[in-house]
Amino acid sequence: MSIKVTFPDGAARDYSRGTTGTEIVEGISKSLAKKTVAMKWNGVLSDLSDALEADGSIEFVTRDSGSKDVLELIRHDAAHVLAEAVQELWPDTQVTIGPVIENGFYYDFYREAGPFTEEELRVIEKKMSEIVERGAAFTKEVWSRDQAKDFFRAKGEDFKVELVDAIPADQSLKMYKQGQWIDLCRGPHMRTVKDVGQAFKLTKVAGAYWRGDSNREVLSRIYGTAFATKEELDAYLTMMEEAEKRDHRKIGREMDLFHMQEEAPGQVFWHPKGWSIYVALQDYMRRKQRADGYVEVNTPQVVSRKLWEASGHWDNYQENMFIVEVDEEHAKTKTVNALKPMNCPCHVQVFNHGLKSYRDLPLRMAEFGSCNRYEPSGALHGIMRVRGFTQDDAHIFCTEDQIEAETKKFIDLLASVYADLGFEGWRIKLSTRPEKRIGSEESWDRAEAALGNACNAAGHDYVVFPGEGAFYGPKLEFVLTDAIGRDWQCGTLQVDPNLPERLDAEYVGADGGKHRPIMLHRAVLGSFERFIGILIENSSGKLPMWLAPTQVVVTTIVSEADEYAEKLVSQLKAAGIRAEIDTRNEKINYKVREHSVGKVPLLFVVGKREAEEGNVSVRRLGTEGQQVRPFMDALVDLIAEATPPDLKTVAGKAA
């Protein structure tokens, strides 16, 4: 019995049923077979050794392809090598799970000796290198549940027994061997352990609860990364060293911007200087949106369960919501509310209040909406991953015919904001219809075409990601690249005909009939908290003058200049400059170092001579030396530099 196998170029050949991917690639080319580590069978990444039982398409995955698939395979297999190395070194250690994550992998271990040390990581790396050099083949076996549980019980692997019980009954139970070591795994894997290569690095150790349950065992999690080549690994490690220097949590402490504490997990305590950045950025976004035709609203933070049920969030998002139960006066049962995790259902309520006409569309409705979402404690990360946040959120209510123009207008707004904030490098992802979706094919065709055409009209290329749209509509995602090459997905635009339908939004058309609007969910920054974290790391805390929390410090050399310094600070503040004074009896070099750590852009240094002549010695952060200038000249230049970019544009047009 034969099967038909179709290749990427469209050619097809017949093979005997049960032929493996290995046999096919070896029959095509020995050199190709040497490079091939896995295959895609009907689009699904699979073991090269899998037997093919029906017609289908095949694509070979080579180790040197540089694809996302091969990188994931390398990291997945490296996690298995890590687990084998640990158990060779400490046989009593239990292995649990070891997934691939962004930029690497981790594996969780349980051992009585406690967490691994930095010295032990280096020992483990050496053992991993030995295992890779041994080059054992990966082989897959399908076991019964009882067989697997008996095997793991005999080894004292209690966590693996739990994992076997958790696998759905309709899924096969796969065991992968690499030499004498064996593990439960869904696969796939490359041909041999040697395919992992030597471009790997164990990066850190952290604690983790088994299955994220604080009532369960504390595990020791080893993080690592792996790449196809040593050059790629070295580049990544260099980037991570730079990222550590730029860590917004470290810089936030040095600049006294914010803090977090365990009494309010995932919530930010903004200090005066940090809040100054926040307010300046929010005021800027408010002006930009107002100039672009948005109206601003404000909606409740605590909203009844009834609205979340109507919107569909109660059924699909409840696990991420903070529920609030209230004993209303004289009520027999408690009222169930939730802190809003997003603003969109409330914006539909504003739209629904009062009759709307087609003449009111497009209606661009913005809100700096404070939202709360439950995030697991292990996922929280400074101000970049929090539970309480504020979005630069807006929803555009429009007709289907207006989607393209409104999307183009939004892209123009986003591009100008990113340029003002120092991000010239960004790209657009267009996520199209998923397999499970609502709406007609014609409506999807029109919506996807509208988004693509809008990108073209705005002068920006885009990459299509098939099947990654929401079930109700396509979306655009805007990905920034920061100063050290990291990507950050911040801006979004999502086409949504579903929520207006669920919440009965309508307008009166030119024909006098009632129609449903299309809703465009959009954000430029995402959350202010996360974006400020990105800004801090992108600039290493050296924010542009208009965002700097302290724009200038007037510092004295001698006490005779104190009165002059106080006069200057008063004039600076009167001009709208965020200025501070430093008259401490410390050496000037000490003061300069301290304010440099605090990332103050400018220092006006004054002594007896400057006071007599009305001058200041100007020192700029990151430069050597100083320049003596008349204070009023320095003030005029500082005012210009501290003016937000959108106001500079307005002033330029007025002039």
Side-chain angles (χ1 to χ4, degrees):
M1 192 76 176
S2 65
I3 59 171
K4 179 174 288 186
V5 176
T6 303
F7 296 90
D9 63 357
R13 290 178 60 182
D14 291 334
Y15 292 91
S16 299
R17 178 175 290 173
T19 299
T20 66
T22 302
E23 291 168 335
I24 292 176
V25 72
E26 287 179 345
I28 295 172
S29 164
K30 293 295 183 184
S31 61
L32 177 62
K34 286 181 180 179
K35 296 189 295 183
T36 301
V37 293
M39 66 179 173
K40 277 190 168 181
W41 179 243
N42 292 327
V44 178
L45 196 61
S46 307
D47 294 318
L48 195 60
S49 59
D50 281 354
L52 310 180
E53 301 293 343
D55 295 350
S57 61
I58 196 169
E59 179 183 347
F60 298 116
V61 178
T62 60
R63 195 181 185 283
D64 61 0
S65 66
S67 69
K68 181 180 177 182
D69 289 326
V70 78
L71 190 57
E72 185 166 317
L73 285 166
I74 289 170
R75 290 170 175 172
H76 183 187
D77 291 5
H80 278 244
V81 173
L82 165 60
E84 181 181 0
V86 167
Q87 288 201 315
E88 274 197 26
L89 292 165
W90 299 280
D92 293 336
T93 302
Q94 292 189 56
V95 297
T96 62
I97 58 171
V100 172
I101 56 174
E102 185 180 10
N103 296 323
F105 59 90
Y106 70 77
Y107 217 112
D108 286 345
F109 301 93
Y110 180 76
R111 65 175 190 165
E112 297 293 341
F116 294 94
T117 65
E118 184 67 29
E119 293 74 22
E120 287 174 329
L121 289 192
R122 306 290 77 85
V123 173
I124 296 168
E125 282 181 343
K126 184 177 179 182
K127 178 59 68 175
M128 289 174 68
S129 293
E130 294 173 9
I131 293 170
V132 169
E133 284 306 306
R134 293 203 296 254
F138 283 105
T139 57
K140 177 172 62 180
E141 298 178 4
V142 178
W143 288 14
S144 70
R145 276 161 174 68
D146 289 342
Q147 183 184 4
K149 287 165 72 173
D150 289 345
F151 172 78
F152 286 123
R153 275 200 202 96
K155 291 183 65 180
E157 296 273 10
D158 299 330
F159 297 98
K160 289 292 185 183
V161 174
E162 270 195 59
L163 289 175
V164 171
D165 284 331
I167 296 173
D170 61 345
Q171 291 186 17
S172 59
L173 198 152
K174 291 179 279 190
M175 302 288 288
Y176 279 84
K177 288 183 178 179
Q178 53 199 69
Q180 299 302 308
W181 195 79
I182 188 168
D183 196 12
L184 172 70
C185 184
R186 72 180 187 279
H189 285 276
M190 296 185 287
R191 301 164 304 177
T192 74
V193 170
K194 198 151 194 170
D195 290 325
V196 171
Q198 296 289 351
F200 59 82
K201 176 76 174 175
L202 301 182
T203 54
K204 64 178 180 178
V205 178
Y209 292 113
W210 171 236
R211 293 193 161 181
D213 185 347
S214 60
N215 296 313
R216 295 297 303 272
E217 296 86 345
V218 177
L219 308 176
S220 188
R221 175 172 295 177
I222 298 179
Y223 286 92
T225 191
F227 289 86
T229 67
K230 187 71 164 54
E231 292 75 17
E232 290 171 317
L233 174 65
D234 290 342
Y236 173 77
L237 294 176
T238 299
M239 184 183 77
M240 293 309 295
E241 287 175 12
E242 184 61 32
E244 190 173 345
K245 297 176 191 173
R246 294 168 177 256
D247 191 317
H248 74 281
R249 296 167 298 180
K250 170 179 171 288
I251 294 174
R253 286 191 299 272
E254 294 171 348
M255 295 179 68
D256 190 25
L257 303 180
F258 59 83
H259 81 272
M260 323 288 285
Q261 63 188 61
E262 61 182 20
E263 289 83 358
Q267 308 283 341
V268 186
F269 289 81
W270 288 102
H271 298 189
K273 290 181 179 179
W275 191 244
S276 170
I277 300 171
Y278 195 111
V279 170
L281 185 60
Q282 190 175 90
D283 287 348
Y284 163 79
M285 286 304 302
R286 178 173 281 117
R287 292 190 302 269
K288 292 289 286 188
Q289 290 182 161
R290 187 179 295 147
D292 215 44
Y294 287 81
V295 294
E296 187 175 336
V297 300
N298 189 268
T299 59
Q301 299 223 21
V302 181
V303 181
S304 170
R305 166 181 178 167
K306 293 178 182 178
L307 180 60
W308 303 116
E309 288 177 334
S311 69
H313 291 96
W314 192 261
D315 290 335
N316 299 305
Y317 204 77
Q318 186 182 157
E319 63 189 30
N320 298 107
M321 298 168 73
F322 287 97
I323 310 301
V324 181
E325 293 188 351
V326 180
D327 283 315
E328 298 282 4
E329 189 176 359
H330 306 305
K332 293 182 179 179
T333 58
K334 291 183 177 181
T335 301
V336 180
N337 303 306
L339 296 178
K340 65 176 179 182
M342 64 276 295
N343 301 301
C344 33
C346 292
H347 285 194
V348 178
Q349 305 313 299
V350 176
F351 180 89
N352 286 349
H353 197 78
L355 188 66
K356 296 294 186 298
S357 160
Y358 70 95
R359 295 187 182 89
D360 298 315
L361 305 183
L363 175 58
R364 307 179 191 103
M365 189 183 297
E367 178 177 9
F368 298 120
S370 294
C371 299
N372 288 271
R373 297 178 188 172
Y374 175 75
E375 296 278 359
S377 59
L380 301 176
H381 179 69
I383 64 173
M384 286 186 168
R385 190 76 178 267
V386 293
R387 291 176 177 172
F389 56 93
T390 300
Q391 297 174 303
D392 69 314
D393 199 14
H395 296 92
I396 302 169
F397 296 88
C398 63
T399 67
E400 186 178 61
D401 291 342
Q402 292 170 332
I403 293 175
E404 182 175 329
E406 285 303 302
T407 301
K408 193 265 182 186
K409 185 176 179 64
F410 170 70
I411 295 172
D412 290 340
L413 170 65
L414 176 141
S416 70
V417 170
Y418 286 179
D420 285 347
L421 294 172
F423 294 101
E424 298 294 343
W426 52 276
R427 62 187 187 278
I428 305 175
K429 296 166 56 176
L430 169 55
S431 299
T432 59
R433 69 197 77 183
E435 187 175 336
K436 294 182 179 180
R437 57 185 179 269
I438 60 173
S440 68
E441 294 304 294
E442 292 76 17
S443 67
W444 276 92
D445 289 341
R446 291 192 295 271
E448 290 171 357
L451 297 190
N453 291 341
C455 293
N456 292 331
H460 296 281
D461 295 330
Y462 61 91
V463 177
V464 176
F465 285 73
E468 293 193 11
F471 72 91
Y472 49 79
K475 64 179 176 180
L476 297 178
E477 294 180 328
F478 301 85
V479 183
L480 297 173
T481 301
D482 72 8
I484 58 173
R486 296 173 301 179
D487 287 340
W488 304 95
Q489 190 269 305
C490 296
T492 57
L493 183 139
Q494 170 74 62
V495 178
D496 183 4
N498 181 57
L499 195 61
E501 178 74 32
R502 291 189 68 109
L503 297 181
D504 200 27
E506 58 188 23
Y507 67 92
V508 177
D511 59 0
K514 293 182 177 180
H515 303 269
R516 298 284 185 211
I518 298 293
M519 195 173 181
L520 304 180
H521 306 253
R522 47 109 298 184
V524 177
L525 308 181
S527 83
F528 280 90
E529 289 74 9
R530 180 171 177 264
F531 200 89
I532 289 172
I534 294 170
L535 278 174
I536 290 169
E537 296 196 358
N538 183 62
S539 65
S540 295
K542 299 173 185 176
L543 296 166
M545 185 66 78
W546 67 278
L547 282 175
T550 301
Q551 294 167 325
V552 62
V553 171
V554 180
T555 182
T556 56
I557 300 172
V558 292
S559 59
E560 289 89 340
D562 288 358
E563 186 177 339
Y564 177 59
E566 290 170 0
K567 178 184 174 183
L568 298 188
V569 169
S570 295
Q571 289 181 265
L572 287 161
K573 288 182 176 180
I577 299 299
R578 295 188 287 275
E580 295 180 4
I581 191 168
D582 185 352
T583 57
R584 293 173 299 164
N585 185 23
E586 300 283 358
K587 291 182 178 180
I588 189 61
N589 287 341
Y590 175 85
K591 292 182 180 182
V592 169
R593 282 195 301 271
E594 186 175 276
H595 295 306
S596 294
V597 170
K599 305 297 188 292
V600 177
L602 280 181
L603 294 182
F604 286 175
V605 181
V606 296
K608 188 176 179 180
R609 183 172 180 178
E610 284 81 8
E612 291 172 349
E613 298 176 355
N615 292 334
V616 290
S617 293
V618 181
R619 287 176 175 259
R620 186 173 289 272
L621 180 65
T623 62
E624 296 293 329
Q626 59 189 29
Q627 181 184 16
V628 178
R629 302 188 64 197
F631 169 70
M632 291 309 298
D633 289 354
L635 174 59
V636 169
D637 288 349
L638 177 52
I639 291 171
E641 190 177 357
T643 301
D646 62 307
L647 297 182
K648 286 182 181 178
T649 303
V650 172
K653 288 180 179 178

